[in-house]
C-alpha cells in the first residue's frame, strides 16, 4: 500500500512512467502478436476436430485466452525485469532520496555505465531461481502428495522470489552483494514473505500486473528504508 501511495508522489511520476512506458509498449506488442497467432493456432486445432465437435470452439476459445493471459503474464513479467532493470534501479534510488533526503551520488552517465553490472545482477537472480523452479515443476508431476503440495509451495516460492526481485533494487543501489541481501531478507522472512505474497498475488492478475512493477519497487524501497538501511555491512 505504501508503494501505491509513492507512485503518485510529485517528482516520482516521471521515474514511474519510464518502466511503465517500456512495459506497456512491449507488453502491447507481444500480446498483439500472440493473439494474432492464437487465431491461427485455434483454426489449425479445429481443423483436426470432427465437424460434429465444432461446438467445442465456444469452450476452447475462452479457455485458450485465459490460459494465455495467465501463463504469458508470468513469462513476460520475468522478461520485463531484465529489460527494465536499469530503470527500476533508478526508480528505487529516487524513492529512497524522497524517503530519506539522501541517496547515491551517481550521475546519469554513471547509471548508464552501470547497466552491464545491473544486468549481471539479474543473471545472478535467474541462476538462483531456475534450479528451484525446476524442482517444483518436477514435484507437480508426482501424483498424490506432489500435486497436493506443489501449488502451495509454488506460491510460497513465488512470494520469496518477488521479495528478492524487488528488494534487490535498493540493495543493489548500495552495492550490497546478492548473498548478503538474501541473508538479510531471510533474517526478516515474515516481512519479506508478506511483501512478496502481495506482489505475487497482483502479478497473477492480467493487465493489473502492468503496474505491479513500479508499485512493488516503491514498496520494496520503503521496506528497505524502514528495516534494512544502515543495518547491513556491504562487505
Amino acid at each position: 500500500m505504501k508503494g501505491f501511495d509513492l507512485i503518485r508522489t510529485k517528482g516520482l511520476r516521471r521515474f514511474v512512467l519510464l518502466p511503465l512506458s517500456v512495459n506497456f509498449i512491449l507488453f502491447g506488442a507481444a500480446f498483439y502478436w500472440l493473439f494474432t497467432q492464437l487465431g491461427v493456432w485455434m483454426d489449425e486445432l479445429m481443423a483436426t476436430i470432427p465437424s460434429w465437435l465444432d461446438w467445442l470452439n465456444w469452450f476452447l476459445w475462452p479457455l485458450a485466452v485465459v490460459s494465455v493471459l495467465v501463463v504469458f503474464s508470468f513469462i513476460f513479467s520475468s522478461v520485463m525485469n531484465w529489460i527494465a532493470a536499469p530503470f527500476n534501479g533508478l526508480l528505487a534510488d529516487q524513492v529512497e532520496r524522497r524517503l530519506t533526503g539522501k541517496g547515491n551520488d551517481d550521475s546519469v552517465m554513471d547509471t548508464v555505465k552501470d547497466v552491464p553490472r545491473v544486468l549481471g545482477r539479474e543473471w545472478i537472480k535467474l541462476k538462483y531461481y531456475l534450479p528451484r523452479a525446476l524442482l517444483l515443476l518436477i514435484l507437480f508431476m508426482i501424483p498424490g502428495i506432489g500435486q497436493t503440495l506443489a501449488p502451495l509451495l509454488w506460491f510460497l516460492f513465488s512470494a520469496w522470489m518477488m521479495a528478492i526481485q524487488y528488494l534487490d533494487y535498493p540493495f543493489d543501489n548500495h552495492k550490497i552483494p546478492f548473498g548478503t541481501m538474501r541473508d538479510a531478507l531471510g533474517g526478516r522472512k515474515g516481512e519479506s514473505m508478506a511483501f512478496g505474497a502481495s506482489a505475487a498475488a497482483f502479478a497473477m492478475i492480467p493487465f493489473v500486473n502492468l503496474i505491479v512493477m513500479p508499485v512493488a519497487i516503491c514498496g520494496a524501497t520503503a521496506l528497505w528504508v524502514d528495516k534494512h538501511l544502515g543495518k547491513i555491512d556491504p562487505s
Side-chain angles (χ1 to χ4, degrees):
M1 299 313 297
K2 182 72 171 177
F4 278 108
D5 289 336
L6 285 168
I7 63 169
R8 299 193 298 269
T9 302
K10 186 177 180 180
L12 276 181
R13 293 171 190 165
R14 65 180 181 273
F15 296 100
V16 171
L17 285 174
L18 278 171
L20 265 185
S21 298
V22 173
N23 222 357
F24 274 111
I25 292 170
L26 294 180
F27 210 101
F31 262 106
Y32 175 78
W33 175 84
L34 191 66
F35 279 106
T36 301
Q37 290 300 116
L38 185 60
V40 176
W41 296 334
M42 288 297 294
D43 288 342
E44 292 176 351
L45 175 63
M46 293 306 298
T48 65
I49 295 177
S51 57
W52 61 274
L53 288 176
D54 283 347
W55 59 272
L56 281 175
N57 190 46
W58 295 96
F59 170 74
L60 292 175
W61 257 108
L63 181 63
V65 170
V66 171
S67 300
V68 165
L69 283 173
V70 173
V71 174
F72 187 72
S73 294
F74 272 115
I75 295 172
F76 192 80
S77 296
S78 300
V79 175
M80 278 305 305
N81 286 327
W82 280 72
I83 296 173
F87 303 115
N88 294 342
L90 183 61
L91 174 58
D93 178 61
Q94 292 299 317
V95 171
E96 184 176 333
R97 286 176 186 271
R98 279 155 181 76
L99 292 175
T100 65
K102 56 185 178 181
N104 292 329
D105 296 324
D106 294 347
S107 65
V108 174
M109 282 308 299
D110 290 329
T111 301
V112 172
K113 292 176 182 177
D114 209 32
V115 168
R117 189 195 61 80
V118 171
L119 294 179
R121 183 79 164 213
E122 292 298 315
W123 173 243
I124 291 173
K125 284 186 275 191
L126 185 62
K127 288 194 297 183
Y128 177 82
Y129 170 82
L130 283 178
R132 292 162 177 80
L134 288 173
L135 283 175
L136 283 174
L137 288 175
I138 292 172
L139 185 61
F140 268 102
M141 301 176 188
I142 301 175
I145 189 168
Q147 293 174 346
T148 302
L149 290 176
L152 174 61
L153 293 177
W154 182 261
F155 182 78
L156 292 175
F157 175 63
S158 296
W160 174 242
M161 284 307 306
M162 283 290 189
I164 284 180
Q165 179 64 51
Y166 292 114
L167 276 154
D168 186 53
Y169 293 118
F171 274 88
D172 188 40
N173 283 341
H174 290 265
K175 307 298 189 291
I176 294 174
F178 178 80
T180 304
M181 179 274 301
R182 189 186 62 219
D183 292 342
L185 298 191
R188 291 183 173 274
K189 186 157 281 186
E191 293 165 349
S192 302
M193 290 294 288
F195 169 81
S198 300
F202 278 106
M204 293 172 65
I205 305 173
F207 300 112
V208 174
N209 56 18
L210 285 170
I211 66 166
V212 165
M213 190 188 316
V215 170
I217 293 165
C218 291
T221 306
L223 186 58
W224 148 263
V225 170
D226 288 343
K227 305 297 182 181
H228 299 285
L229 183 59
K231 301 176 183 178
I232 299 171
D233 182 3
S235 61

